[in-house]
Amino acid sequence: MGKKFLIAGNWKMYKNAAESRAFIQELGQTFKAQAGLEVVVFPPFTALAGLRNQDAKIKIGAQNMFYEEKGAFTGEISPVMLQELVDYVLIGHSERREIFKESDADVSKKVRAALQFKLSPVLCVGETLQEREAGKTMAKIKNQLEKAAQGLENYEMSKIVVAYEPIWAIGTGRNATPAQAQEVHHFIKGTWQQMAPGRNLQILYGGSVKPENSLELLAQEDISGVLVGGASLKVEQFSAIIHNCAELLKK
Ligand code: PGA
């Protein structure tokens, strides 16, 4: 098949440091390292330092960061601080954009800062239900991608992972159908090709991913991973999704 998968768990504002460590330990026992399969979890900031080198199979990411290196920015975390703790960083999750009013300009600066400090940005994009119903899904996604990647060099574009997360599917139990997701993923792939000719892109689907729907989603041609919220908080559920992915790789 030749596809490379990334199974990502976004823990949001759940789990303290001890719970996070226990989770990683337990999760690590449920699967083996395998070519083509990468697993990453995004715990809260307070758990990150305690998770260093806990299990080589499980990469760690941060859920957000500020774009400045240092300075008088009370309450913020810089890419330099994260650099020694994580490999990945989520940028522009819809909850950051909606609740914390992050703009496309903020997202663009964060993507740039992540790349500068050798963190892999997982750039989140997605439409609201209203936008979908008005037929504006593709326009919204294209705009988000173009703004986020504005001014980047072609080679930098290959270091970005994109997560397509329709906002109406996040935490609602209502996932996009595999066909709906595939349609948008295909569009993202094409848009990226125009922006960065010759650069491949890993595109994750997120929004109510569960063990039961993960296989069919991952089997879609342009879906190369999932970003899981609720179902990543329970070891059994998250490892079931990892197992589904491992099965797919055997085919
Ligand atoms: P969900 O969240 O799986 O709980 O819908 C996904 C996300 O917000 O990344």
Side-chain angles (χ1 to χ4, degrees):
M1 203 178 190
K3 243 211 266 189
K4 271 209 206 141
F5 289 99
L6 181 61
I7 306 298
N10 172 15
W11 292 356
K12 311 194 179 188
M13 203 171 71
Y14 296 98
K15 296 192 193 297
N16 64 21
E19 289 163 344
S20 300
R21 271 197 304 278
F23 185 101
I24 300 287
Q25 194 179 14
E26 209 182 323
L27 180 68
Q29 287 159 7
T30 68
F31 74 101
K32 290 202 176 70
Q34 189 177 340
L37 169 67
E38 192 166 329
V39 174
V40 55
V41 294
F42 294 85
F45 286 129
T46 45
L48 296 180
L51 298 177
R52 253 200 308 182
N53 307 324
Q54 216 191 324
D55 188 322
K57 302 194 293 293
I58 305 170
K59 296 260 162 58
I60 305 294
Q63 296 174 19
N64 178 36
M65 61 166 213
F66 193 47
Y67 47 76
E68 293 289 351
E69 207 180 314
K70 59 183 171 193
F73 303 105
T74 302
E76 292 296 318
I77 303 283
S78 93
V80 183
M81 296 165 186
L82 290 176
Q83 207 175 25
E84 55 180 6
L85 300 176
V86 304
D87 295 300
Y88 287 93
V89 59
L90 286 182
I91 306 278
H93 188 280
S94 61
E95 286 152 17
R96 301 283 335 156
R97 294 180 192 255
E98 290 199 336
I99 306 169
F100 301 99
K101 309 295 172 217
E102 275 185 24
S103 66
D104 285 322
D106 295 327
V107 168
S108 162
K109 286 184 201 160
K110 290 181 179 197
V111 168
R112 194 179 275 270
L115 292 170
Q116 188 188 344
F117 292 99
K118 310 270 181 288
L119 298 166
S120 300
V122 178
L123 166 66
C124 304
V125 297
E127 81 286 4
T128 62
L129 187 59
Q130 209 181 10
E131 286 161 342
R132 173 159 283 263
E133 284 172 349
K136 293 183 180 152
T137 298
M138 303 309 187
K140 166 84 178 283
I141 306 284
K142 187 164 192 274
N143 186 44
Q144 285 183 320
L145 291 175
E146 285 177 350
K147 293 230 166 100
Q150 211 164 24
L152 294 179
E153 299 290 337
N154 183 297
Y155 77 92
E156 294 178 298
M157 305 272 291
S158 63
K159 305 204 166 84
I160 299 174
V161 174
V162 168
Y164 168 56
E165 297 204 303
I167 295 168
W168 48 271
I170 295 178
T172 56
R174 180 184 166 194
N175 63 290
T177 64
Q180 278 175 326
Q182 165 58 26
E183 188 190 14
V184 179
H185 280 231
H186 188 73
F187 175 80
I188 292 173
K189 194 175 158 187
T191 305
W192 206 259
Q193 277 302 318
Q194 283 169 9
M195 288 160 57
R199 298 291 175 180
N200 283 335
L201 176 68
Q202 186 155 34
I203 315 169
L204 317 181
Y205 168 77
S208 297
V209 175
K210 305 269 177 288
E212 308 83 63
N213 58 25
S214 58
L215 192 55
E216 214 190 331
L217 285 162
L218 287 166
Q220 302 301 308
E221 189 178 345
D222 298 313
I223 298 186
S224 41
V226 281
L227 179 54
V228 188
S232 75
L233 293 170
K234 298 229 166 72
V235 172
E236 317 81 71
Q237 292 190 16
F238 195 51
S239 73
I241 294 170
I242 296 170
H243 278 276
N244 280 341
C245 186
E247 285 304 306
L248 206 57
L249 275 165
K250 284 189 199 150
K251 288 185 186 154

